[in-house]
Amino acid sequence: MILRKEEKNSYLQAIMFIASCDGVISEEEIKALKGIALSMEITMDKVNILAEEVTQGKKLKNILSRIKNRQTKLQLIYELITICHLDGEYSDIEKKSMQKVTKLLKVEPEKLAEIEGIINENIEIQKKMDQVLEVVNI
């Protein structure tokens, strides 16, 4: 997926928003955020500036307004829900936040439900694989 500079910033800020919406940013969420920033070639200095804007209350509507391409919107929704699951729980506040994101992106609620379903299936498959392969989680 190729994003313009302003889309990259918005994409990353949307991830920052969803990671912090439940009041706790887990170590897994921080690691994922850094990985995404690195893959987008966004420097840690720029990440800090973008994070400061989110912390200072940049409106979600403004964050998402630069994302226009439908495929980018759907990929973002997928990525955001994945981030929500990193701490092992997709909380009610995260679900409500995702509904808000989906509405602001003008993506139909059915598509959100479909993406949530795919992610839940992936989580179950991963659990089964871990069980069959006798993966020990430390």
Side-chain angles (χ1 to χ4, degrees):
M1 179 173 54
I2 298 172
L3 301 175
R4 297 183 325 271
K5 182 181 176 183
E6 62 274 4
E7 284 179 315
K8 288 180 183 181
N9 293 343
S10 293
Y11 199 98
L12 202 58
Q13 282 188 319
I15 290 170
M16 292 172 183
F17 169 82
I18 208 69
S20 62
C21 76
D22 62 358
V24 178
I25 302 175
S26 71
E27 198 61 44
E28 294 89 354
E29 290 169 331
I30 291 170
K31 208 183 308 183
L33 181 67
K34 286 181 179 178
I36 293 164
L38 184 64
S39 73
M40 292 183 171
E41 299 177 348
I42 298 175
T43 66
M44 287 316 292
D45 287 342
K46 184 63 178 177
V47 169
N48 292 333
I49 292 167
L50 295 171
E52 185 65 25
E53 289 177 4
V54 173
T55 304
Q56 303 249 323
K58 184 173 182 180
K59 299 259 185 267
L60 183 59
K61 181 179 181 179
N62 295 337
I63 291 171
L64 299 174
S65 67
R66 295 181 180 210
I67 299 175
K68 306 284 186 205
N69 178 287
R70 179 161 172 90
Q71 191 174 7
T72 303
K73 291 176 181 183
L74 297 176
Q75 182 64 41
L76 176 60
I77 291 169
Y78 178 87
E79 197 112 44
L80 293 175
I81 297 169
T82 301
I83 297 284
C84 290
H85 279 279
L86 285 178
D87 62 2
E89 182 191 2
Y90 186 27
S91 68
D92 286 341
I93 188 123
E94 289 170 325
K95 288 176 185 175
K96 284 182 176 49
S97 295
M98 283 308 306
Q99 290 167 355
K100 187 175 180 183
V101 166
T102 303
K103 186 176 182 180
L104 288 169
L105 288 173
K106 295 180 172 70
V107 172
E108 41 303 323
E110 299 79 22
K111 187 58 84 169
L112 172 63
E114 195 175 357
I115 295 170
E116 288 170 333
I118 289 169
I119 291 170
N120 287 333
E121 287 174 26
N122 283 339
I123 290 168
E124 289 307 311
I125 289 170
Q126 187 61 54
K127 285 178 185 175
K128 279 184 178 178
M129 282 178 45
D130 289 350
Q131 184 180 18
V132 168
L133 298 175
E134 300 177 9
V135 174
V136 179
N137 293 318
I138 299 172

